Structures are given as structure tokens and as C-alpha cells.
Amino acid sequence: MARTAGSDGGRTEAAIREAAVQLIARHGFEAVTMRQLAAEVGVQAAALYRYFPTKEDLLHTLMREHMEALLGAWEAARADNDDPLARLTSFVANHIRFHVERRHATHVSNMELRSLSRDNLTSILKLRTAYEKELRTILRDGADAGLLEVDDTGLTAMAIIQMITGVIVWFRPDERLSVDEVTATYLAMTMRLTGAKTNAEDRHVRQDAELRAR
Amino acid sequence: MARTAGSDGGRTEAAIREAAVQLIARHGFEAVTMRQLAAEVGVQAAALYRYFPTKEDLLHTLMREHMEALLGAWEAARADNDDPLARLTSFVANHIRFHVERRHATHVSNMELRSLSRDNLTSILKLRTAYEKELRTILRDGADAGLLEVDDTGLTAMAIIQMITGVIVWFRPDERLSVDEVTATYLAMTMRLTGAKTNAEDRHVRQDAELRAR
DNA sequence: GAATTAATTAAACGTTCGTTTTATTAATTT
DNA sequence: AAATTAATAAAACGAACGTTTAATTAATTC
């Protein structure tokens, strides 16, 4: 009826976050009740309020940390490289790996925006916009250098992000394809989609080789 | 306190559907209450139950009819054409037009699947799968005819659908771009993404023309 | 070992939810 | 004009919701 033996605030909070991500990803934020979440963690509902002041604050925390982790992963993965094609490759590969590894959290961050209040929504959208801007910059640099054929930078960035984020809709680990195989295929599609010059060159090299072999 | 003068079942049901699509698209199915919906329509909550037996049945009806309309629009738009490239063009153009015209209903159909019971979910997924199969068939035919370069038919189909459905996330009519302009850009990206041969030919034709003009 | 702080339970709060029941009036049919 | 059917309002149902309060025990500090 009170503090349980061996209870630990740090562990409980981590368990709440984990359970919340799973439950919200599966049922949606509005459909998950604090009692349901508490039961999953193994505590009473009131105990949740020691760690998060409100249900919405819990959601906002999960989203903010997910977006910050995404931006952090990109900063770590980005080769300090001048080559736009290498940067584009890094971006797509990092995005797919990160999203496959955190399918549930991504689902939450993408689907539950409408459950946030104005201020909380604004703070998440700011992070999201910053991330999208990274891709737009790469595409513009690539187009300026004559390495990419991009009609509309903003529109192409949205198309690519939607395409590569869509992986989480159908991808399941331990099925037909590995993460690396999926990444390779999506990279090839991205390069074709943006008219990347290396791709065209590769194709010509291959064609030439075939012709010479005859 | 009872039947209102001028009330009409047909009109009321239509009003319920319209209001439901708007409200669910904006707030999410779980967040919309029957009282809120009724207020939007201008009736009491109990009146809704004359038209839909439960809240979930209302959602299911909206989704089913949306998916059937999408399949119907595709059947009407599909030129009875043997050329896979022409069919691919029709598919993308029809998809974007339909989704832009019915942004809210599309949002509902894509986001609220988890609020459906097993049986209702199955019936919607069946329609969705049938639609996706249309695109897979086009891609396979195109690849078999040597007109497209597609590594993985299923994966490419998902990538394209996610890309072109994503239009509704950012597109707003009466802004920078018209539907036709957006469609043209997405068609160009789709053709590049699938390595469509016409595109390569066009490019060569254009390049030749430029060279000759010098 | 006494005092304090951390972690939790148990119980309750007022509110709101989807839905049902019953009554009432408008429109239609006979 | 009487009888019937369609369309709704009004009120209530029990259940469940997010959250708060108060009490209680475990762990830590002094």
C-alpha cells in the first residue's frame, strides 16, 4: 500500500517511457488510458504523475526526445564531407536505420501531433523543420554543383522523406529483406529520383562493359 | 423536443458524414465525441444513432466508401492501354488528383485503421491491397517489357505510393503550386525513380536539340 | 536510531464518454 | 381526418476517464 521494496525512480520512469511508446504506437494516444499504461508498467495510475505532470506532457516528452535523437544521429552520421552525393547517401542511410530501429517512436512522433497543445506542437514542428532543412540544403548544393537534377528542392525533399519514412509501414526485421538490403534499394531509388550523376555514369560504364564483352 | 420542421433523413445523414470526416481528420477518431459531432451537424447525439449503429461503424463506413471510391476512380481513369508507361502515368495522376480533392477522407482512411475491430480492419485492408496490386502489376509489366528498371516490384510500389500520398501532408490548394504542376513534378520523379525509358530518350532528344542549336 | 526524503498505493473527485430509453412532433399514407 | 411512420429532443445509464489527495512504507541522511 505504499513504497514497494526495491522500487527505483529511474527504472520506473524508463519503464513508463518504453511502455508508453509501445502502447501509443499500437492504439493511438487518445485510446491509451493512464490506467492501462500503469498496468503495463506494474504500478498504480497515480504513480505516473510523479514522473509526468500530465498525459500530454508525457507525449510531448517522448516526441521531443525522439526528434532530438534523430537530429543527433544525423549530426553524428554526417560525414564532414563537401560532396553532396556522399551527404545524400549518409542522410538516407541514417534516416532508414534510425527509423527501422525506432519504429514505434517514429510512429508516435508522426501520428500524434494533433494531440499536442499549440506550444508543444510548435516546439516539435521546429525540430522537424530543422531536420527537413538538412535534406533541402543537400539537394540544393547538389543541384548547384550540377550533380543532381532537382526541379523543386522543397517538393523533392518532402517526396524523399515521405518515401524513406514509409519504410516503417511495411518493414519488419527478420523477414525477407535485411536493413542493409532495404537501404541499398532505397538509396538506388533516391539517386535515380534526383537524377544523381554518379548513377548515370555507372550505368554507362556498365553498358560500355557489356558492349565490349560482345 | 422532437422532429424538427423541415428535417430530412437524407440530408442529415450526408451532413453527419461530412462533419465526421472533417472532425476526425482534424482531431482523430478517438478524440471526436458523438456530442461534438452532433453539435457540428446541429442535432442531438441520440439522432446520430438513427443513421449509424455505433461510432466505429460510422468510421468503417467512411473508410470503406472512400476506398471504394478510390478504386472506382482508378477504374474510370485507367486508359485501356497496353503501354505500361501510359498506365503508370494514369495511376500517378489519378492518385494525386483523387487524394488532393479528398484530403480529409484520405487522412481518415490512412490514420484511423487502429480504431477498427478485426473484421472491419480486414475489409479495409482488402481494398487497400487490391489498389496497391494495380501499381505492382504496372511496374512488373513495365519491367518485363524492358521499359522500366525496377529492382523490387513490391518495394518500389510501396515507395511510390508513400511518395505520392505524401502530397496531402503539405499540399494546400490556392498556394504556390497548382494540382497540375504538382502532378507534373511527381510524375517526373516517378519516371526517374523507375528508370522509365521515355525519360532517358526525352533527355537525349533534348540534349541533341541543344547540341544542334549551338 | 531518529528524521527526512523517495516511491508508491488506495481511494476518491468531478467530468465526460458512448449509448439507450422514452416521449414528442412532422410528414406521409390511408 | 385518422393512422402510421420518420426524425428528432430530452433525459438518463453505467462505465471509464484524467487527475488529486492522503496515507503508508522503503531507503537514505544525519
Side-chain angles (χ1 to χ4, degrees):
Chain A
M1 335 190 160
R3 180 168 190 167
T4 2
S7 66
D8 174 274
R11 276 215 317 278
T12 303
E13 180 172 349
I16 293 173
R17 286 164 190 259
E18 261 181 66
V21 167
Q22 306 289 328
L23 286 175
I24 296 172
R26 173 144 55 228
H27 305 291
F29 176 71
E30 299 275 359
V32 174
T33 71
M34 296 302 267
R35 285 171 179 83
Q36 185 185 0
L37 173 57
E40 190 77 16
V41 175
V43 298
Q44 290 294 318
L48 304 176
Y49 288 84
R50 169 161 267 271
Y51 304 96
F52 302 95
T54 65
K55 192 187 177 193
E56 192 203 322
D57 188 85
L58 165 59
L59 176 64
H60 179 238
T61 300
L62 295 176
M63 285 183 166
R64 182 171 35 73
E65 294 184 354
H66 180 254
M67 288 306 299
E68 285 168 356
L70 175 59
L71 279 159
W74 163 237
E75 268 187 45
R78 152 172 66 190
D80 281 334
N81 197 321
D82 283 345
D83 178 18
L85 260 51
R87 279 154 60 206
L88 180 56
T89 301
S90 300
F91 187 90
V92 170
N94 179 68
H95 186 96
I96 292 180
R97 182 169 28 74
F98 188 88
H99 281 73
V100 164
E101 280 171 4
R102 309 202 190 192
R103 264 181 52 219
H104 295 307
T106 303
H107 234 91
V108 172
S109 283
N110 289 346
M111 307 265 288
E112 307 297 346
L113 288 167
R114 57 189 166 200
S115 292
L116 295 176
S117 68
R118 281 258 311 191
D119 287 356
N120 284 343
L121 176 62
T122 301
S123 82
I124 299 298
L125 289 183
K126 194 172 290 177
L127 294 171
R128 178 189 272 234
T129 303
Y131 183 68
E132 290 168 357
K133 190 180 178 185
E134 294 287 314
L135 178 56
R136 280 202 302 275
T137 303
I138 294 172
L139 294 178
R140 193 168 345 96
D141 289 353
D144 289 349
L147 295 168
L148 298 179
E149 285 180 42
V150 174
D151 291 349
D152 184 313
T153 307
L155 202 149
T156 304
M158 293 308 290
I160 291 175
I161 287 184
Q162 252 119 27
M163 179 178 80
I164 62 185
T165 301
V167 171
I168 63 167
V169 172
W170 57 266
F171 181 78
R172 294 294 175 277
D174 58 70
E175 262 196 14
R176 209 180 101 222
L177 299 167
S178 71
V179 180
D180 286 345
E181 287 168 327
V182 171
T183 302
T185 307
Y186 271 83
L187 263 175
M189 291 193 290
T190 302
M191 292 305 170
R192 276 209 285 257
L193 170 50
T194 54
K197 285 300 183 293
T198 39
N199 228 28
E201 286 168 15
D202 283 348
R203 216 181 302 142
H204 289 151
V205 169
R206 265 185 276 115
Q207 284 177 355
D208 287 351
E210 281 175 21
L211 288 173
R212 267 185 255 105
R214 287 183 187 169
Chain B
M1 334 187 162
R3 178 168 191 169
T4 3
S7 66
D8 175 274
R11 276 215 315 278
T12 303
E13 179 172 349
I16 293 172
R17 287 164 190 258
E18 261 182 64
V21 167
Q22 305 289 328
L23 287 176
I24 297 172
R26 172 144 54 228
H27 306 291
F29 176 72
E30 298 276 359
V32 174
T33 71
M34 296 301 267
R35 286 171 178 83
Q36 185 185 1
L37 173 57
E40 190 77 17
V41 175
V43 297
Q44 290 295 316
L48 304 175
Y49 288 84
R50 170 159 268 270
Y51 304 96
F52 301 95
T54 64
K55 192 187 178 195
E56 192 203 323
D57 188 86
L58 165 59
L59 175 64
H60 180 238
T61 300
L62 296 176
M63 285 183 166
R64 182 171 36 74
E65 294 184 353
H66 179 256
M67 288 307 299
E68 284 168 356
L70 174 59
L71 280 159
W74 163 236
E75 268 187 46
R78 151 173 66 191
D80 281 334
N81 198 321
D82 283 345
D83 178 18
L85 261 50
R87 277 154 61 206
L88 180 56
T89 302
S90 300
F91 187 91
V92 170
N94 179 69
H95 186 96
I96 292 180
R97 181 171 27 76
F98 188 89
H99 281 72
V100 164
E101 280 171 4
R102 310 203 190 191
R103 264 182 52 221
H104 295 306
T106 302
H107 235 90
V108 173
S109 283
N110 288 346
M111 307 265 288
E112 307 297 345
L113 288 168
R114 57 190 165 199
S115 292
L116 295 176
S117 67
R118 280 257 311 190
D119 286 357
N120 284 343
L121 176 62
T122 302
S123 82
I124 300 297
L125 289 184
K126 194 173 289 178
L127 294 170
R128 180 190 270 235
T129 303
Y131 183 68
E132 291 168 357
K133 190 181 178 186
E134 294 286 315
L135 178 56
R136 280 203 301 277
T137 302
I138 294 171
L139 293 178
R140 193 167 346 95
D141 289 353
D144 289 349
L147 295 167
L148 298 179
E149 283 180 43
V150 175
D151 292 348
D152 184 311
T153 308
L155 202 148
T156 305
M158 293 309 288
I160 292 175
I161 287 183
Q162 253 120 27
M163 179 178 80
I164 62 185
T165 301
V167 171
I168 63 168
V169 173
W170 57 265
F171 181 79
R172 294 295 174 276
D174 57 70
E175 263 196 14
R176 206 179 105 222
L177 299 166
S178 71
V179 180
D180 286 345
E181 286 169 326
V182 171
T183 302
T185 308
Y186 271 83
L187 264 175
M189 290 193 290
T190 303
M191 292 305 170
R192 276 210 285 258
L193 170 49
T194 54
K197 286 298 183 294
T198 39
N199 227 29
E201 287 168 14
D202 282 349
R203 217 181 301 142
H204 289 151
V205 169
R206 265 187 274 114
Q207 284 177 352
D208 287 352
E210 281 175 22
L211 289 173
R212 268 187 255 104
R214 286 183 188 168

